[in-house]
């Protein structure tokens, strides 16, 4: 006996409505990350074009990255109280205004160096809460859509990689032919589109709305919520190990995207179009890696795959760029590195979702975001000064060597074996992971973007 046609249509419609919020978040991220790629290439070139100094370009990167760290440290408890949907919309709109102001003031002859730094700081301060708000929704939206968590995490990262690939390719051409200021205006537009998508697509989703039944957010309650997130992170040795490792590699990656690659492209590779090609190829191969992991990656040990991916995607591009001044060898190296890096975020995202209960996710994710971004403000600043003092080749070799040492962590420390362990069992209402040490004396990232692909997670 077959079901009536109307019942089939109703079932299909209900399933589509359940999948819509997840599709909305994926689409909004695709739009905004495409814009991120425009900024990733446009801002360093804008700074180099207007100042002529790698050191000043590095300082602009510092001003953009430091507020991201500040908002990540303090923003976790606020996201749930205000509401994930509202935070995402407000974040995108403020960032759109800040980015649009840069080229508009420049064209009016009113943009000073300090103004550029201040506007990039505003952009950095507001984009991290919006990214966090969307990211912590994925487990709930995956359940609504009937999608497994590892598959949703891989899809989330694959969409980001694809958008980054497309954005980088477009950005390099736009900077070369239309100027960096035009690229920044387009990036501001992507923020607006992302805000509109979230406003329409997440309306009425309970997990995207403000927490109504919790205690009122007083200063004491805020401090308690903040402390709860950091306490959980410090007691979970695996999450803490991941956070420390990605903290180091994100700082080194910032040096690549903000200073080393733009300077190398300007001096040796022919300009921003080549940089856009390199970043696009990296992103495309990372997309393939993420999709492949989503399809078959669950069959293999996570720690082994993670370590291999990091060794392949970390130090090699720095070393090849230091030893050659042509595009082809670096292009091949970045293709291989992108494939390795593509498997990392799905693994890290799945581990984070498995280890942290939903009630604590915004707070713990805020703490882990702060941790992985701790060195990011210094990455571009230090690289700019190092290039001016020691030269580009020495900077590439030194930073590449540090990257290689950092990627050995999963092989050296026992806590990483927990990456392949079953998710911890928790008693009802327990905020700490099972088996976690009581002491927090020992020193997860929200889908960090390690490797030389660009900046750490943005939005």
């Amino acid at each position: 006996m077959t079901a009536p046609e109307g019942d089939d249509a109703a079932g299909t419609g209900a399933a589509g409505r359940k999948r819509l919020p997840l599709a909305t978040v994926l689409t909004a991220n695709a739009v905004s990350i495409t814009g991120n790629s425009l900024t990733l290439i446009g801002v360093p070139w804008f700074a180099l074009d207007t100042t002529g100094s790698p050191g000043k370009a590095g300082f602009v990167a510092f001003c953009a990255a430091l507020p991201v760290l500040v908002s990540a440290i303090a923003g976790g408890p606020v996201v749930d109280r205000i509401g994930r949907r509202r935070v995402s919309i407000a974040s995108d709109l403020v960032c759109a205004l800040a980015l649009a102001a840069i080229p508009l003031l420049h064209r009016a002859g009113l943009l000073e160096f300090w103004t550029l730094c201040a506007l990039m700081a505003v952009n950095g301060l507001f984009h991290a809460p919006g990214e966090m708000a969307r990211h912590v929704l994925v487990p709930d939206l995956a359940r609504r859509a009937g999608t497994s968590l590892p598959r949703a995490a891989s899809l989330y990262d694959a969409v980001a990689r694809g958008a980054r690939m497309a954005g980088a390719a477009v950005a390099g051409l736009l900077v070369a032919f239309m100027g960096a200021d035009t690229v920044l205006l387009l990036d501001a537009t992507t923020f607006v589109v992302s805000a509109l998508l979230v406003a329409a697509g997440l309306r009425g989703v309970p997990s995207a709305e403000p927490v109504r039944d919790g205690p009122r957010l007083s200063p004491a309650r805020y401090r308690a919520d903040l402390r709860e997130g950091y306490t959980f992170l410090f007691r979970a040795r695996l999450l803490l190990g991941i956070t420390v490792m990605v903290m180091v590699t994100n700082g080194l990656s910032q040096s690549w995207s903000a200073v080393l690659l733009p300077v190398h492209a300007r001096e040796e590779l022919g300009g921003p179009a080549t940089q856009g090609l390199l970043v696009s190829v990296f992103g495309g191969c990372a997309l393939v890696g993420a999709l492949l992991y989503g399809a078959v990656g669950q069959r293999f040990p996570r720690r082994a795959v993670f370590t291999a991916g990091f060794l392949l995607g970390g130090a090699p591009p720095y070393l090849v760029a230091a030893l050659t001044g042509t595009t082809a060898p670096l292009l091949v190296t970045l293709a291989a590195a992108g494939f390795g890096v593509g498997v990392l975020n799905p693994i890290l995202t799945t581990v984070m979702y498995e280890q942290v209960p939903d009630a604590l996710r915004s707070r713990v994710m805020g703490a882990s975001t702060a941790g992985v971004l701790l060195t990011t403000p210094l990455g571009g600043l230090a690289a700019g000064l190092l290039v001016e003092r020691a030269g580009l080749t020495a900077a590439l070799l030194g930073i590449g060597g540090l990257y290689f040492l950092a990627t050995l962590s999963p092989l050296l420390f026992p806590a990483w074996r927990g990456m392949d362990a079953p998710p911890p069992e928790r008693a009802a209402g327990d905020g700490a992971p099972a088996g976690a040490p009581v002491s927090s004396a020992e020193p997860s990232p929200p889908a960090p973007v390690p490797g030389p692909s660009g900046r750490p997670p943005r939005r």
Side-chain angles (χ1 to χ4, degrees), residues 432-444:
V438 175
S439 171
S440 60
E442 297 184 34
S444 128

Side-chain angles (χ1 to χ4, degrees), residues 405-434:
L405 293 176
T407 53
L408 297 178
S409 297
L411 299 176
L412 300 178
F413 298 103
W416 287 84
R417 296 171 187 164
M419 188 171 272
D420 292 314
E425 296 289 337
R426 298 185 185 90
D430 186 7

Side-chain angles (χ1 to χ4, degrees), residues 215-233:
R216 189 172 182 178
L217 187 60
S218 63
R221 181 69 257 173
Y222 175 81
R223 289 192 298 270
D225 286 350
L226 201 63
R227 184 168 57 250
E228 193 172 16
Y230 282 91
T231 298
F232 185 102
L233 182 65

